[in-house]
């Protein structure tokens, strides 16, 4: 577990040094690039993060000129997030986000493996008395 967490941290730091973006920022760009314009709520669901966390990510990407908010073409009452031209250029150079790799790995596991992993992690959580700690997904921005 220590190696997995360390690998995710090192990957995130390398991406931040190379692109000036955090792991969650790269992840949001990837999701918007892969699935097109979407609402903040839909992006949060795709990233498996709370919408309040994704707001901060999108705000920072907006300040960097990589993402813009605008009316949803299908429903003018909704706000849609899209990549800017600058965001598309960065995305073309950016590596796949580590969080996405982790989720794909988990999704490739059989149900029994997932159940066993959850049970084992639950035991560790109890032993460490960590069950009440706030723990957003890896490297989520506050």
């Amino acid at each position: 577990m220590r190696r997995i967490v360390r690998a995710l941290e090192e990957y995130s730091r390398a991406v931040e040094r190379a692109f000036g973006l955090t792991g969650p920022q790269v992840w949001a760009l990837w999701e918007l690039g892969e699935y097109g314009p979407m609402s903040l709520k839909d992006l949060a669901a795709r990233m498996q993060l709370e919408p309040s966390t994704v707001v901060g990510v999108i705000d920072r990407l907006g300040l960097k000129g990589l993402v813009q908010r605008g009316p949803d073409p299908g429903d003018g009452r909704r706000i849609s997030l899209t990549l800017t031209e600058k965001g598309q250029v960065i995305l073309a150079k950016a590596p796949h986000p580590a969080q996405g790799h982790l989720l794909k790995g988990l999704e490739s596991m059989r149900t029994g493996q997932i159940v066993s992993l959850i049970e084992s992690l639950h035991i560790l959580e109890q032993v460490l008395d960590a069950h009440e700690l706030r723990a957003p997904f890896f490297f989520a921005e506050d």
Side-chain angles (χ1 to χ4, degrees):
M1 186 162 50
R2 195 168 33 104
R3 285 186 188 111
I4 292 168
V5 170
R6 183 164 178 179
L8 290 168
E9 288 172 343
E10 287 180 9
Y11 185 90
S12 187
R13 279 195 296 270
V15 169
E16 192 161 1
R17 280 191 307 271
F19 294 92
L21 299 171
T22 64
Q25 290 170 353
V26 172
W27 193 7
L29 291 178
W30 268 92
E31 292 296 334
L32 289 170
E34 180 77 17
Y35 300 101
M38 67 181 82
S39 70
L40 184 92
K41 182 179 174 183
D42 291 342
L43 179 59
R46 290 214 49 81
M47 295 175 72
Q48 298 183 21
L49 294 171
E50 292 295 322
S52 59
T53 299
V54 178
V55 166
V57 172
I58 293 302
D59 286 347
R60 288 172 187 84
L61 289 171
L63 290 173
K64 294 177 182 194
L66 304 177
V67 172
Q68 62 188 11
R69 290 175 169 99
D72 186 309
D75 182 351
R77 299 169 296 176
R78 291 178 41 153
I79 299 296
S80 184
L81 305 171
T82 57
L83 293 178
T84 63
E85 193 172 311
K86 182 178 176 183
Q88 291 171 3
V89 168
I90 293 291
L91 179 58
K93 300 175 188 175
H96 196 277
Q99 294 90 337
H101 287 301
L102 182 60
L103 286 175
K104 283 188 189 327
L106 290 169
E107 289 168 355
S108 72
M109 295 172 73
R110 293 186 314 273
T111 302
Q113 291 174 310
I114 294 288
V115 169
S116 179
L117 178 61
I118 289 169
E119 289 171 351
S120 298
L121 290 174
H122 182 70
I123 291 168
L124 289 175
E125 184 181 66
Q126 296 300 317
V127 167
L128 296 171
D129 197 27
H131 57 280
E132 292 188 24
L133 292 176
R134 181 182 175 279
F137 203 73
F138 290 104
F139 315 112
E141 299 173 354
D142 290 321

